[in-house]
Amino acid sequence: MRFWMLALAATVAASGAWAKSHHGKQRKQSAEARHAAAPRDPNGVWNIQSATTVGDCPALIPTSLTLADNKIASAGGAQLQAWGYLDETGNIVARFTGAGEHVARFHGTLKGGRGEGAWSSSTDMCGGTWRAAQE
């Protein structure tokens, strides 16, 4: 009988310890999820990495964008004219025009300091993807 009482006590203690550690992990994950979901001001500098997946294009996607008042204020890394805006839900739409009237259209999302999307150029018959990180 004493053996069964010790076994029962050990089981109860172990389940209590598991519940406590599981509850702590849940609390930590909730705090991390709240931090990740917190709104972040999208204005500022965004570093862009692009990849061409179709065709062969000149450098039409800038390596960085600066947003001011949710509009593209400047584009870095290439000789481009840039136009575009970010809506209230984080969707970005942009157009980049390079020398010789090369044009690329750029769209996707920028949220929480990260972004991704696609781009295409009907003038050069090419396109690809992009990812962004806010400085």
Side-chain angles (χ1 to χ4, degrees):
M1 179 75 165
R2 187 174 206 182
F3 172 76
W4 291 111
M5 293 298 278
L6 287 173
L8 179 61
T11 302
V12 169
S15 67
W18 178 83
K20 184 177 179 181
S21 70
H22 181 69
H23 181 69
K25 286 181 185 176
Q26 200 172 29
R27 185 178 301 148
K28 182 179 179 184
Q29 289 170 345
S30 296
E32 289 171 356
R34 281 192 305 272
H35 179 67
R40 185 171 175 178
D41 183 5
N43 293 299
V45 178
W46 290 80
N47 293 312
I48 309 291
Q49 292 181 333
S50 64
T52 302
T53 57
V54 175
D56 185 25
C57 282
L60 294 173
I61 305 302
T63 57
S64 67
L65 294 175
T66 301
L67 297 179
D69 296 323
N70 290 358
K71 295 179 181 142
I72 295 177
S74 64
Q79 294 290 336
L80 300 169
Q81 291 180 350
W83 170 91
Y85 65 92
L86 184 71
D87 71 15
E88 63 278 351
T89 62
N91 294 313
I92 186 168
V93 175
R95 181 183 66 234
F96 304 111
T97 305
E101 298 304 310
H102 295 279
V103 177
R105 300 195 189 293
F106 179 97
H107 61 89
T109 58
L110 296 175
K111 289 184 181 177
R114 299 273 178 230
E116 64 182 0
W119 64 272
S120 64
S121 173
S122 60
T123 57
D124 293 294
M125 304 301 286
C126 58
T129 61
W130 60 268
R131 291 188 182 273
Q134 192 174 20
E135 284 186 5

PDB file of all heavy atoms in Angstrom, residues 13-31:
ATOM      1  N   ALA A  13       2.842  14.995  -8.354  1.00  0.00           N
ATOM      2  CA  ALA A  13       3.907  16.004  -8.380  1.00  0.00           C
ATOM      3  C   ALA A  13       4.391  16.232  -9.804  1.00  0.00           C
ATOM      4  O   ALA A  13       4.610  17.369 -10.227  1.00  0.00           O
ATOM      5  CB  ALA A  13       5.055  15.582  -7.472  1.00  0.00           C
ATOM      6  N   ALA A  14       4.582  15.146 -10.542  1.00  0.00           N
ATOM      7  CA  ALA A  14       5.060  15.272 -11.921  1.00  0.00           C
ATOM      8  C   ALA A  14       4.044  15.995 -12.791  1.00  0.00           C
ATOM      9  O   ALA A  14       4.399  16.848 -13.605  1.00  0.00           O
ATOM     10  CB  ALA A  14       5.374  13.895 -12.500  1.00  0.00           C
ATOM     11  N   SER A  15       2.757  15.690 -12.638  1.00  0.00           N
ATOM     12  CA  SER A  15       1.743  16.359 -13.457  1.00  0.00           C
ATOM     13  C   SER A  15       1.642  17.830 -13.096  1.00  0.00           C
ATOM     14  O   SER A  15       1.420  18.674 -13.950  1.00  0.00           O
ATOM     15  CB  SER A  15       0.387  15.662 -13.339  1.00  0.00           C
ATOM     16  OG  SER A  15      -0.133  15.802 -12.034  1.00  0.00           O
ATOM     17  N   GLY A  16       1.822  18.171 -11.829  1.00  0.00           N
ATOM     18  CA  GLY A  16       1.821  19.574 -11.420  1.00  0.00           C
ATOM     19  C   GLY A  16       2.993  20.322 -12.020  1.00  0.00           C
ATOM     20  O   GLY A  16       2.865  21.455 -12.481  1.00  0.00           O
ATOM     21  N   ALA A  17       4.163  19.699 -12.024  1.00  0.00           N
ATOM     22  CA  ALA A  17       5.353  20.324 -12.609  1.00  0.00           C
ATOM     23  C   ALA A  17       5.173  20.505 -14.109  1.00  0.00           C
ATOM     24  O   ALA A  17       5.524  21.537 -14.672  1.00  0.00           O
ATOM     25  CB  ALA A  17       6.595  19.490 -12.310  1.00  0.00           C
ATOM     26  N   TRP A  18       4.584  19.508 -14.773  1.00  0.00           N
ATOM     27  CA  TRP A  18       4.342  19.618 -16.214  1.00  0.00           C
ATOM     28  C   TRP A  18       3.380  20.759 -16.505  1.00  0.00           C
ATOM     29  O   TRP A  18       3.605  21.565 -17.392  1.00  0.00           O
ATOM     30  CB  TRP A  18       3.781  18.308 -16.757  1.00  0.00           C
ATOM     31  CG  TRP A  18       3.479  18.410 -18.219  1.00  0.00           C
ATOM     32  CD1 TRP A  18       4.347  18.255 -19.254  1.00  0.00           C
ATOM     33  CD2 TRP A  18       2.227  18.755 -18.814  1.00  0.00           C
ATOM     34  NE1 TRP A  18       3.726  18.468 -20.458  1.00  0.00           N
ATOM     35  CE2 TRP A  18       2.405  18.779 -20.205  1.00  0.00           C
ATOM     36  CE3 TRP A  18       0.974  19.039 -18.317  1.00  0.00           C
ATOM     37  CZ2 TRP A  18       1.387  19.075 -21.090  1.00  0.00           C
ATOM     38  CZ3 TRP A  18      -0.037  19.332 -19.210  1.00  0.00           C
ATOM     39  CH2 TRP A  18       0.169  19.357 -20.573  1.00  0.00           C
ATOM     40  N   ALA A  19       2.298  20.833 -15.733  1.00  0.00           N
ATOM     41  CA  ALA A  19       1.306  21.889 -15.946  1.00  0.00           C
ATOM     42  C   ALA A  19       1.930  23.258 -15.734  1.00  0.00           C
ATOM     43  O   ALA A  19       1.674  24.197 -16.484  1.00  0.00           O
ATOM     44  CB  ALA A  19       0.111  21.695 -15.006  1.00  0.00           C
ATOM     45  N   LYS A  20       2.767  23.390 -14.703  1.00  0.00           N
ATOM     46  CA  LYS A  20       3.411  24.671 -14.421  1.00  0.00           C
ATOM     47  C   LYS A  20       4.347  25.068 -15.565  1.00  0.00           C
ATOM     48  O   LYS A  20       4.331  26.200 -16.028  1.00  0.00           O
ATOM     49  CB  LYS A  20       4.181  24.592 -13.102  1.00  0.00           C
ATOM     50  CG  LYS A  20       4.795  25.908 -12.694  1.00  0.00           C
ATOM     51  CD  LYS A  20       5.473  25.786 -11.349  1.00  0.00           C
ATOM     52  CE  LYS A  20       6.100  27.101 -10.955  1.00  0.00           C
ATOM     53  NZ  LYS A  20       6.781  26.989  -9.670  1.00  0.00           N
ATOM     54  N   SER A  21       5.168  24.117 -16.051  1.00  0.00           N
ATOM     55  CA  SER A  21       6.099  24.443 -17.139  1.00  0.00           C
ATOM     56  C   SER A  21       5.334  24.695 -18.430  1.00  0.00           C
ATOM     57  O   SER A  21       5.683  25.575 -19.202  1.00  0.00           O
ATOM     58  CB  SER A  21       7.125  23.332 -17.333  1.00  0.00           C
ATOM     59  OG  SER A  21       6.520  22.184 -17.882  1.00  0.00           O
ATOM     60  N   HIS A  22       4.265  23.957 -18.686  1.00  0.00           N
ATOM     61  CA  HIS A  22       3.469  24.156 -19.893  1.00  0.00           C
ATOM     62  C   HIS A  22       2.794  25.525 -19.850  1.00  0.00           C
ATOM     63  O   HIS A  22       2.776  26.248 -20.834  1.00  0.00           O
ATOM     64  CB  HIS A  22       2.440  23.042 -20.032  1.00  0.00           C
ATOM     65  CG  HIS A  22       1.605  23.160 -21.273  1.00  0.00           C
ATOM     66  ND1 HIS A  22       2.137  22.973 -22.516  1.00  0.00           N
ATOM     67  CD2 HIS A  22       0.306  23.501 -21.449  1.00  0.00           C
ATOM     68  CE1 HIS A  22       1.188  23.163 -23.422  1.00  0.00           C
ATOM     69  NE2 HIS A  22       0.068  23.485 -22.796  1.00  0.00           N
ATOM     70  N   HIS A  23       2.271  25.903 -18.674  1.00  0.00           N
ATOM     71  CA  HIS A  23       1.624  27.206 -18.535  1.00  0.00           C
ATOM     72  C   HIS A  23       2.644  28.334 -18.753  1.00  0.00           C
ATOM     73  O   HIS A  23       2.346  29.332 -19.392  1.00  0.00           O
ATOM     74  CB  HIS A  23       0.967  27.315 -17.149  1.00  0.00           C
ATOM     75  CG  HIS A  23       0.264  28.614 -16.934  1.00  0.00           C
ATOM     76  ND1 HIS A  23      -0.889  28.951 -17.611  1.00  0.00           N
ATOM     77  CD2 HIS A  23       0.559  29.677 -16.139  1.00  0.00           C
ATOM     78  CE1 HIS A  23      -1.279  30.161 -17.230  1.00  0.00           C
ATOM     79  NE2 HIS A  23      -0.415  30.617 -16.338  1.00  0.00           N
ATOM     80  N   GLY A  24       3.854  28.176 -18.257  1.00  0.00           N
ATOM     81  CA  GLY A  24       4.906  29.179 -18.454  1.00  0.00           C
ATOM     82  C   GLY A  24       5.263  29.335 -19.921  1.00  0.00           C
ATOM     83  O   GLY A  24       5.456  30.438 -20.415  1.00  0.00           O
ATOM     84  N   LYS A  25       5.348  28.223 -20.648  1.00  0.00           N
ATOM     85  CA  LYS A  25       5.644  28.288 -22.080  1.00  0.00           C
ATOM     86  C   LYS A  25       4.519  28.994 -22.822  1.00  0.00           C
ATOM     87  O   LYS A  25       4.755  29.781 -23.722  1.00  0.00           O
ATOM     88  CB  LYS A  25       5.835  26.880 -22.655  1.00  0.00           C
ATOM     89  CG  LYS A  25       7.135  26.241 -22.278  1.00  0.00           C
ATOM     90  CD  LYS A  25       7.247  24.864 -22.898  1.00  0.00           C
ATOM     91  CE  LYS A  25       8.499  24.160 -22.431  1.00  0.00           C
ATOM     92  NZ  LYS A  25       8.561  22.797 -22.950  1.00  0.00           N
ATOM     93  N   GLN A  26       3.280  28.687 -22.418  1.00  0.00           N
ATOM     94  CA  GLN A  26       2.137  29.304 -23.061  1.00  0.00           C
ATOM     95  C   GLN A  26       2.156  30.812 -22.825  1.00  0.00           C
ATOM     96  O   GLN A  26       1.901  31.588 -23.729  1.00  0.00           O
ATOM     97  CB  GLN A  26       0.863  28.681 -22.486  1.00  0.00           C
ATOM     98  CG  GLN A  26      -0.354  28.839 -23.338  1.00  0.00           C
ATOM     99  CD  GLN A  26      -1.495  28.016 -22.773  1.00  0.00           C
ATOM    100  OE1 GLN A  26      -1.595  27.768 -21.578  1.00  0.00           O
ATOM    101  NE2 GLN A  26      -2.361  27.582 -23.661  1.00  0.00           N
ATOM    102  N   ARG A  27       2.494  31.243 -21.626  1.00  0.00           N
ATOM    103  CA  ARG A  27       2.560  32.664 -21.302  1.00  0.00           C
ATOM    104  C   ARG A  27       3.649  33.333 -22.138  1.00  0.00           C
ATOM    105  O   ARG A  27       3.456  34.407 -22.671  1.00  0.00           O
ATOM    106  CB  ARG A  27       2.842  32.853 -19.818  1.00  0.00           C
ATOM    107  CG  ARG A  27       2.803  34.308 -19.404  1.00  0.00           C
ATOM    108  CD  ARG A  27       3.037  34.504 -17.929  1.00  0.00           C
ATOM    109  NE  ARG A  27       2.034  33.804 -17.160  1.00  0.00           N
ATOM    110  CZ  ARG A  27       2.255  33.260 -15.969  1.00  0.00           C
ATOM    111  NH1 ARG A  27       3.451  33.345 -15.420  1.00  0.00           N
ATOM    112  NH2 ARG A  27       1.310  32.643 -15.317  1.00  0.00           N
ATOM    113  N   LYS A  28       4.817  32.683 -22.291  1.00  0.00           N
ATOM    114  CA  LYS A  28       5.919  33.250 -23.080  1.00  0.00           C
ATOM    115  C   LYS A  28       5.517  33.360 -24.544  1.00  0.00           C
ATOM    116  O   LYS A  28       5.760  34.365 -25.182  1.00  0.00           O
ATOM    117  CB  LYS A  28       7.162  32.381 -22.929  1.00  0.00           C
ATOM    118  CG  LYS A  28       8.363  32.927 -23.669  1.00  0.00           C
ATOM    119  CD  LYS A  28       9.574  32.059 -23.483  1.00  0.00           C
ATOM    120  CE  LYS A  28      10.758  32.598 -24.250  1.00  0.00           C
ATOM    121  NZ  LYS A  28      11.904  31.726 -24.157  1.00  0.00           N
ATOM    122  N   GLN A  29       4.875  32.317 -25.091  1.00  0.00           N
ATOM    123  CA  GLN A  29       4.453  32.356 -26.482  1.00  0.00           C
ATOM    124  C   GLN A  29       3.429  33.453 -26.701  1.00  0.00           C
ATOM    125  O   GLN A  29       3.460  34.141 -27.704  1.00  0.00           O
ATOM    126  CB  GLN A  29       3.887  31.004 -26.903  1.00  0.00           C
ATOM    127  CG  GLN A  29       4.940  29.932 -27.023  1.00  0.00           C
ATOM    128  CD  GLN A  29       4.346  28.556 -27.212  1.00  0.00           C
ATOM    129  OE1 GLN A  29       3.168  28.339 -26.998  1.00  0.00           O
ATOM    130  NE2 GLN A  29       5.182  27.612 -27.590  1.00  0.00           N
ATOM    131  N   SER A  30       2.529  33.656 -25.760  1.00  0.00           N
ATOM    132  CA  SER A  30       1.526  34.695 -25.899  1.00  0.00           C
ATOM    133  C   SER A  30       2.178  36.074 -25.940  1.00  0.00           C
ATOM    134  O   SER A  30       1.793  36.929 -26.724  1.00  0.00           O
ATOM    135  CB  SER A  30       0.519  34.627 -24.749  1.00  0.00           C
ATOM    136  OG  SER A  30      -0.184  33.414 -24.804  1.00  0.00           O
ATOM    137  N   ALA A  31       3.175  36.302 -25.098  1.00  0.00           N
ATOM    138  CA  ALA A  31       3.871  37.582 -25.092  1.00  0.00           C
ATOM    139  C   ALA A  31       4.604  37.790 -26.411  1.00  0.00           C
ATOM    140  O   ALA A  31       4.599  38.887 -26.971  1.00  0.00           O
ATOM    141  CB  ALA A  31       4.843  37.651 -23.920  1.00  0.00           C
TER     142      ALA A  31
END
